[in-house]
Amino acid sequence: MDTQKQLDDFQKRIDNGETIEPKDWMPERYRKQLIRMMSQHAHSEIVGMLPEGNWITRAPSLKRKMVLLAKVQDEAGHGLYLYSGTETLGVRRKELIEDYIYGNAKYSSIFNYPTLSYADICVIGWLVDGAAIVNQTMLAKSSYGPYARANLRICKEESFHKKQGYEMLAKMASGTAEQKRMAQDAVNRWWWATLMMFGPHDSDSPNSAELIKWGVKTKTNDELRQHFVDRSVMEAEAIGITLPDPDLTYNEETGHWEFGDIPWDEFWSVVKGDGPMNRERIKSRRKAYEEGEWVRKAAAEYARKKKLVKAS
Amino acid sequence: MSDTSTQSTEWPLWEVFYQPSDGKPFEHAGSVHAPDSEMALQNARDTYARRNEGIAIWVVPSDQITASSPEDRGPFFDPANDKAYRHPQFYTVPRAVKKRK
C-alpha cells in the first residue's frame, strides 16, 4: 500500500511542476490511470487508420493519395509512440494490444462512425484531427514524462493532418453545387461526434478531477471543448460552411460561442459498443493481427537463423 | 485472454536514439519492437524519422541499459555538491581583465 507520506511527497512534486519519470515512485492508482489513458489513446490512433485507409484506393488524385497515405502512416507512428510510452509503466505491448483486440479495452468513439464519401476525409482532418490537437497540446505538458514527450512528437505531425483536411474542404466548399453539398453533408454528420471526443461534461466525468490533481491533464473536458468550438466557428465561416447547430450564439460577456445540447445518449450507446462501426472495426483489427502472425513468426525465425550463422 | 494470445509472438524491445543533425549529440526517441538489430534500425527509422528528424540512429536492446535509480539521486550525485572550485565563478581575476571581453 502507498503510505500517506509517499502520496504527499508525490503531490508536492506534481505541484512543483516536476516531471515524473518511469523509475520514480508513483501511486499505484496514478500508474493504473496512465496505463488506461495512454493505451486507449494508442488504440485510438491505430483504429483511426481504418476509416481513412478505406479511401486510399479511391483518392481523387495522385497527390491526394500520397497525402492520405502519409497521414495514415503517421497515425500508425502515433500509436507506436504511445505504446512505447505505456510500456515504460511496466506493461507489455502484447498485453495491451490483446486486451483491445480480444478484451474490452476502449478507444475513441469517433472511429466507430463510417466514412461515406471523400468529403469525410476532409472533415476528419479538419475537425477530428483539429480536436485531437486541442487535447494533445494539453497532454504534451502532462506530468508523466514519456506521455508528454509522445504527445509533443504527435503534435508536430498533427498540424499537417488538420491543414490538409481544411484546405481540401475549403476547395470542395467552393466547388460545384454537388461538391458543396458533399462538403456540408460530411460536416453535418461529423460535428456532434467530434464535440463528444472531449468526453462527458465535467459534472459527469469521474476521472477528470483526479487526473487534473495529478497533472496528467491540465484542463477539463468542457474547457477544451469550448476552445475547440470557438476556433471551429471562425474556421467554418471562413470557408462558407455552416455548423449544424441552430443554437450557436456568441456571448459578448464571456467571449465564447454557446452551443446546443450534445446528444449524449448516442455517445453512451457508441461507447457501449453499439455505434455504426464498432463490430466492423474490431473485426478488421483482429483479422490484421491474426493474419500478421506468420510474418512476426517468420521474422523472428529469420533473426534466429542469422544469429546461428554468425556464431558458427 | 484467448488461446491466440499465448501462441502469438512478441519481438524484443529496443531503445532508439537519434542524432538530430550534424555534430549534435544523440537523443533518446522512444522504443521499438524488432526481432533483430537490423530490423530494429529499419523500424526505428519508420517510426521516429519520417521527416528527417535524424541523420543517424542507434538501437540498443532495452534490457542492456543500466540506469541510476531515482531514490539514490541525492547520495549518488552528492560528490559534486561541495566542489565549487570546479566552476569558473570560484576564481577572481583583476578587474582590468574582467572588463575586456
Side-chain angles (χ1 to χ4, degrees):
Chain A
M1 250 323 257
D2 308 335
T3 69
Q4 193 56 44
K5 161 118 179 50
Q6 283 175 314
L7 290 168
D8 292 345
D9 288 349
F10 181 79
Q11 191 61 48
K12 216 178 277 166
R13 292 195 61 196
I14 299 283
D15 297 342
N16 281 340
E18 288 178 40
T19 306
I20 309 301
E21 294 294 342
K23 290 181 79 184
D24 293 353
W25 185 88
M26 60 186 86
E28 218 21 62
R29 175 120 180 113
Y30 178 85
R31 184 187 302 276
K32 281 221 174 93
Q33 285 282 45
L34 272 170
I35 292 175
R36 180 188 62 84
M37 205 173 148
M38 292 172 71
S39 58
Q40 280 182 9
H41 192 169
H43 303 329
S44 304
E45 299 283 354
I46 299 296
V47 85
M49 290 192 280
L50 296 172
E52 293 184 291
N54 180 38
W55 283 92
I56 291 174
T57 55
R58 292 168 289 165
S61 67
L62 182 59
K63 175 184 151 191
R64 293 298 173 190
K65 181 182 273 195
M66 291 192 305
V67 169
L68 188 57
L69 265 173
K71 178 181 189 295
V72 171
Q73 193 196 15
D74 276 350
E75 306 298 358
H78 296 176
L80 297 181
Y81 306 158
L82 291 161
Y83 281 129
S84 158
T86 318
E87 280 179 296
T88 64
L89 290 159
V91 278
R92 290 177 61 198
R93 188 175 308 200
K94 194 176 135 198
E95 272 169 47
L96 299 172
I97 292 176
E98 290 179 356
D99 193 28
Y100 143 54
I101 294 182
Y102 302 109
N104 44 20
K106 298 266 187 287
Y107 56 87
S108 177
S109 287
I110 194 77
F111 303 115
N112 287 322
Y113 291 88
T115 39
L116 303 182
S117 82
Y118 212 82
D120 291 47
I121 302 304
C122 312
V123 174
I124 288 181
W126 175 43
L127 292 180
V128 176
D129 290 307
I133 291 175
V134 170
N135 201 26
Q136 288 163 164
T137 306
M138 167 191 72
L139 293 171
K141 291 176 213 124
S142 169
S143 60
Y144 188 56
Y147 196 31
R149 294 191 284 270
N151 276 293
L152 191 64
R153 209 171 265 283
I154 290 172
C155 284
K156 282 186 187 159
E157 302 179 352
E158 204 82 73
S159 44
F160 137 61
H161 297 181
K162 182 188 166 181
K163 238 175 144 179
Q164 60 86 31
Y166 186 57
E167 180 205 79
M168 208 163 29
L169 190 70
K171 215 165 211 175
M172 232 177 189
S174 62
T176 64
E178 173 67 359
Q179 286 173 323
K180 279 182 194 165
R181 196 196 56 75
M182 276 170 73
Q184 185 60 53
D185 167 64
V187 173
N188 293 350
R189 282 183 289 106
W190 287 91
W191 173 248
W192 291 105
T194 310
L195 293 193
M196 295 180 213
M197 280 175 71
F198 296 95
H201 282 308
D202 298 344
S203 50
D204 300 320
S205 177
N207 289 318
S208 258
E210 188 178 53
L211 293 174
I212 288 177
K213 181 184 87 174
W214 279 333
V216 176
K217 292 173 64 168
T218 50
K219 287 184 183 132
T220 70
N221 295 354
D222 285 331
E223 284 171 335
L224 294 168
R225 185 165 21 236
Q226 186 62 57
H227 175 75
F228 174 75
V229 170
D230 291 343
R231 218 169 61 178
S232 302
V233 169
M234 189 185 69
E235 288 169 351
E237 205 183 279
I239 59 171
I241 283 285
T242 311
L243 295 175
D245 179 0
D247 295 330
L248 265 178
T249 36
Y250 186 70
N251 184 327
E252 295 269 355
E253 254 169 63
T254 59
H256 292 302
W257 283 87
E258 283 167 7
F259 48 95
D261 288 334
I262 296 171
W264 291 112
D265 288 350
E266 178 189 312
F267 175 78
W268 291 115
S269 113
V270 181
V271 168
K272 289 190 178 101
D274 290 326
M277 299 297 279
N278 293 54
R279 286 166 193 84
E280 174 65 27
R281 297 293 184 237
I282 284 292
K283 212 174 89 192
S284 307
R285 283 295 298 125
R286 208 171 274 174
K287 181 166 179 275
Y289 187 67
E290 286 167 7
E291 290 181 359
E293 176 60 15
W294 75 267
V295 180
R296 291 191 292 276
K297 276 203 176 121
E301 184 57 16
Y302 174 74
R304 190 185 70 86
K305 287 209 171 131
K306 224 169 54 176
K307 216 169 167 184
L308 287 177
V309 172
K310 220 174 166 185
S312 65
Chain B
M1 292 280 152
S2 76
D3 289 346
T4 333
S5 79
T6 47
Q7 297 158 15
S8 67
T9 320
E10 185 173 58
W11 297 331
L13 192 64
W14 304 74
E15 297 302 317
V16 178
F17 300 83
Y18 68 102
Q19 189 179 27
S21 58
D22 185 57
K24 292 280 184 302
F26 281 70
E27 264 177 48
H28 183 240
S31 60
V32 292
H33 284 272
D36 66 11
S37 57
E38 195 186 322
M39 285 183 256
L41 269 180
Q42 288 163 358
N43 289 354
R45 175 202 58 200
D46 293 344
T47 308
Y48 296 103
R50 287 190 301 283
R51 291 175 175 77
N52 295 318
E53 285 91 339
I55 57 161
I57 295 178
W58 291 343
V59 289
V60 185
S62 301
D63 59 9
Q64 293 297 306
I65 290 185
T66 308
S68 63
S69 62
E71 306 90 74
D72 300 337
R73 184 152 84 183
F76 189 72
F77 289 103
D78 86 350
N81 289 348
D82 56 355
K83 297 182 180 60
Y85 48 84
R86 281 188 170 149
H87 299 278
Q89 295 88 327
F90 185 74
Y91 303 93
T92 48
V93 287
R95 186 170 290 181
V97 177
K98 217 182 205 171
K99 280 212 173 128
R100 300 180 53 182
K101 257 251 161 137

